[in-house]
């Protein structure tokens, strides 16, 4: 194995998954056969989480004989992006990684130098990839990712700012308590007493859960409309791009959202490779 300047290992660490791919510069494309995605149980103990991340990274690294020159990792906050240390506490994910030095972990499993390992906010990386994919570089764009949490960021003039609206005050808590997988499931529990699903995917895929599904997406779209009017409207974006795992079920709520808001909405590409390309631009102002 030898170092090559233009191969970058890109990693996306989400609430339920880890994906990885190799981006070849300067052609800005993900190398064929290098993209892998694996499940991660972010509520597991530390050893299991790290081992699940390593499995995906190993597959990507095994797809070539070339050793990447650097690693770019996108992950949710709160996180010490500079030093690669997780600060997620009470977030219903990665609790066992609290204060763990993930930069050292990635260096250890890849042999890549600490100084060549960089962490970025996942909502920001997502938005940058989408802006490039949709050729919206000259616009003012807000990205919202709906999933285990709510990611929010603003793009303008080549710069991305993490808005961190998931932690903004909302009802009796914060936005993310309501607009997230756990927010939707806890609403269903209140309405029905119990819920025959642990995640939104099950709600969407199982026909017999239609009553729950309808209630879930009515709730989500109503809360999103309220949230967007209160927090996003004043920021006057040209377009709001909506992505994240829950947005894959856009058929159940997107039209209602679009018709209830006097703002331009666009759906994400749902191609994680765009996020990797966003990472390699490294024009973050975080």
């Amino acid at each position: 194995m030898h170092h090559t300047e233009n191969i970058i290992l890109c990693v996306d660490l989400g609430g339920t998954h880890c994906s990885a791919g190799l981006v070849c510069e300067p052609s800005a494309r993900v190398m064929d056969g290098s993209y892998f995605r694996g499940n991660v149980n972010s509520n597991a103990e530390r050893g299991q989480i790290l081992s699940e991340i390593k499995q995906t990274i190993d597959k990507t690294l095994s797809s070539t004989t070339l050793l990447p020159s650097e690693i770019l990792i996108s992950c949710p906050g709160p996180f010490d992006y500079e030093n690669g240390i997780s600060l997620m506490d009470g977030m219903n994910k990665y609790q066992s990684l609290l204060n763990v030095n993930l930069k050292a972990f990635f260096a250890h499993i890849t042999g890549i130098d600490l100084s060549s390992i960089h962490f970025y906010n996942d909502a920001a990386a997502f938005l940058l990839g989408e802006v490039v994919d949709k050729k919206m570089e000259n616009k003012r764009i807000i990205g919202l990712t709906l999933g285990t949490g709510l990611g929010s960021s603003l793009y303008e003039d080549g710069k991305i700012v993490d808005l961190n609206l998931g932690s903004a005050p909302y009802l009796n808590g914060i936005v993310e308590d309501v607009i997230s997988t756990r927010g939707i499931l806890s609403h269903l529990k209140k309405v029905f007493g119990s819920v025959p699903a642990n995640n939104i995917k099950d709600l969407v895929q199982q026909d017999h859960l239609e009553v729950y599904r309808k209630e879930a997406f009515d709730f989500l779209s109503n809360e999103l409309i309220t949230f967007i009017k209160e927090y996003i409207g004043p920021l006057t974006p040209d377009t709001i791009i909506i992505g994240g795992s829950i947005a894959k079920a856009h058929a159940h709520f997107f039209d209602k959202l679009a018709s209830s808001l006097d703002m331009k909405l666009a759906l994400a590409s749902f191609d994680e490779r765009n996020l990797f390309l966003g990472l390699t631009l490294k024009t973050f102002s975080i």
Side-chain angles (χ1 to χ4, degrees):
M1 284 211 177
H2 59 283
H3 281 273
T4 171
E5 278 318 300
N6 56 351
I7 306 264
I8 298 174
L9 170 61
C10 293
V11 180
D12 180 43
L13 187 56
T16 54
H17 80 281
C18 172
S19 58
L22 297 169
V23 173
C24 182
E25 288 198 310
S27 71
R29 62 174 186 85
V30 177
M31 290 167 65
D32 293 344
S34 74
Y35 173 74
F36 291 92
R37 183 184 171 104
N39 292 331
V40 174
N41 176 359
S42 61
N43 292 311
E45 47 86 36
R46 183 166 69 188
Q48 184 186 332
I49 292 177
L50 296 179
S51 133
E52 287 173 350
I53 294 171
K54 183 178 186 298
Q55 280 168 23
T56 300
I57 306 293
D58 285 349
K59 284 181 186 165
T60 290
L61 290 177
S62 310
S63 69
T64 176
T65 54
L66 304 166
L67 186 65
S69 55
E70 60 181 332
I71 310 178
L72 308 177
I73 301 137
S74 83
C75 59
F79 197 91
D80 176 348
Y81 291 99
E82 179 97 8
N83 298 303
I85 293 166
S86 176
L87 304 175
M88 287 178 252
D89 191 9
M91 304 293 289
N92 293 284
K93 58 189 171 197
Y94 295 117
Q95 188 66 43
S96 66
L97 293 190
L98 182 60
N99 299 323
V100 169
N101 187 328
L102 289 175
K103 192 177 271 201
F105 164 73
F106 278 101
H108 175 69
I109 64 170
T110 62
I112 291 169
D113 198 70
L114 282 169
S115 62
S116 300
I117 302 175
H118 306 282
F119 290 81
Y120 299 99
N121 177 273
D122 59 343
F126 154 78
L127 182 54
L128 205 45
E130 291 299 313
V131 163
V132 171
D133 182 58
K134 294 181 181 346
K135 303 186 171 31
M136 291 181 168
E137 288 93 342
N138 300 323
K139 303 256 193 255
R140 179 177 166 86
I141 309 289
I142 282 180
L144 297 177
T145 50
L146 314 171
T148 45
L150 175 95
S152 54
S153 46
L154 168 70
Y155 167 91
E156 192 171 34
D157 299 328
K159 294 273 188 288
I160 294 253
V161 183
D162 178 14
L163 297 173
N164 194 26
L165 292 173
S167 305
Y170 195 74
L171 301 177
N172 302 323
I174 59 170
V175 172
E176 205 169 85
D177 293 336
V178 178
I179 301 174
S180 61
T181 299
R182 70 177 183 275
I184 294 169
L185 295 177
S186 90
H187 171 74
L188 293 179
K189 280 200 184 80
K190 266 186 218 134
V191 174
F192 297 105
S194 69
V195 192
N198 299 321
N199 55 51
I200 306 305
K201 202 174 177 177
D202 291 347
L203 276 184
V204 172
Q205 291 178 346
Q206 300 183 24
D207 288 346
H208 66 282
L209 299 180
E210 166 139 25
V211 178
Y212 295 91
R213 180 164 60 240
K214 187 178 178 330
E215 180 64 40
F217 286 107
D218 280 352
F219 169 76
L220 176 66
S221 45
N222 290 334
E223 296 300 346
L224 269 172
I225 289 162
T226 307
F227 161 74
I228 287 172
K229 283 181 174 165
E230 182 180 345
Y231 281 107
I232 307 294
L235 300 171
T236 63
D238 294 318
T239 302
I240 302 166
I241 298 178
I242 298 190
S245 57
I246 293 175
K248 288 180 180 164
H250 50 84
H252 298 282
F253 70 91
F254 189 80
D255 289 349
K256 179 178 175 182
L257 212 56
S259 60
S260 310
L261 293 163
D262 51 359
M263 287 174 251
K264 257 177 95 166
L265 298 186
L267 275 171
S269 63
F270 300 109
D271 184 343
E272 238 164 2
R273 288 167 301 193
N274 286 328
L275 181 144
F276 294 160
L277 298 180
L279 276 176
T280 60
L281 294 175
K282 296 186 220 146
T283 57
F284 292 86
S285 63
I286 293 173

